[in-house]
Every structure is written in C-alpha cells, then in structure tokens.
Amino acid sequence: MKKMIFALVVMFAMTMSANAKSNDASLFFKRISCYLELDKNQMETVKVSMAEFNESMESLSHQRGRSKGFKSVNNIVDRHKKQMKQILSDKQYKKFEEIFDLTVRNTAKINFDRIVSSRSHHGGFMKTRS
C-alpha cells in the first residue's frame, strides 16, 4: 500500500513539475496569488517556495528505487507547508492548505484511475465485446 501511495505522490510531483514548465504555470500562479490575496512581497517568496517544492518532488521521482519513499515525500510536503505558513497570514494559510490538500487528493485519484485503467487494458484479462 505504501508503494502505491508513493507512486501516486510521485506522479503528482511529475504532474506539478510538468505544469511548472508550461505556459500554464504563470496562469496557475496568477490564480493562486489572487485567491490567496498575496501582496507583492509574498508573491516572489511564494513563487520561490513553489519552485523549490516542484524541484524536490521531481528529484525524488527520479530516485524512486533508492529513496525512502513515503517518508521522503512527507518530509518535502511538511517542509513546503512550513515555508508557506511562515510566508502567509493565518487566513491565507488556511486557504492555501485547503487548495494544496485538495489538489493532492484529486491528482492522486486521477493518477490512480490512470494506473488502474492502464493495468486493465494491458493485463490480458479484459473482456471484449462481440
């Protein structure tokens, strides 16, 4: 079970990393900054913290077999949340935490569904309609 959770979190990291590299990243950041009502000072610090989080998760995804897995993911997530708690007001942090946790859950569910779907198509046991 821990391996499955780790795989889902790694896929989440890779998804976030891919988004960070695309043009959607600036739109995503604009939406987050508006929703959290960030001031100019917070914007830069939050952007740096998010980039560090994405880099850490991407790095971990490349070390799948060699890392401590779930514990490493938790350490990265905890570090990111602590940074964000220092940057944001209590009201902003509550909003951030809701979005962050919801994003993790949704991304994990989407990636889990993809894994299950790909296994059922490649497993050789799928029934075909006649």
Side-chain angles (χ1 to χ4, degrees), residues 87-101:
I87 299 166
L88 304 173
S89 69
D90 289 340
K91 181 181 173 184
Q92 290 171 319
Y93 182 75
K94 284 180 184 178
K95 286 181 173 183
F96 162 76
E97 195 170 36
E98 288 173 8
I99 291 171
F100 187 79
D101 292 343

Side-chain angles (χ1 to χ4, degrees), residues 49-108:
S49 179
M50 290 173 70
E52 288 174 359
F53 173 76
N54 288 335
E55 288 171 16
S56 296
M57 293 299 280
E58 185 174 350
S59 174
L60 183 63
S61 72
H62 295 302
Q63 302 173 8
R64 276 184 271 206
R66 296 171 292 215
S67 70
K68 294 181 180 170
F70 192 66
K71 186 176 180 181
S72 298
V73 170
N74 282 337
N75 289 340
I76 293 169
V77 168
D78 289 345
R79 184 175 64 231
H80 180 61
K81 283 187 170 185
K82 284 178 186 175
Q83 287 176 342
M84 294 300 284
K85 190 163 182 76
Q86 291 175 346
I87 299 166
L88 304 173
S89 69
D90 289 340
K91 181 181 173 184
Q92 290 171 319
Y93 182 75
K94 284 180 184 178
K95 286 181 173 183
F96 162 76
E97 195 170 36
E98 288 173 8
I99 291 171
F100 187 79
D101 292 343
L102 185 61
T103 301
V104 169
R105 267 196 311 271
N106 287 343
T107 304

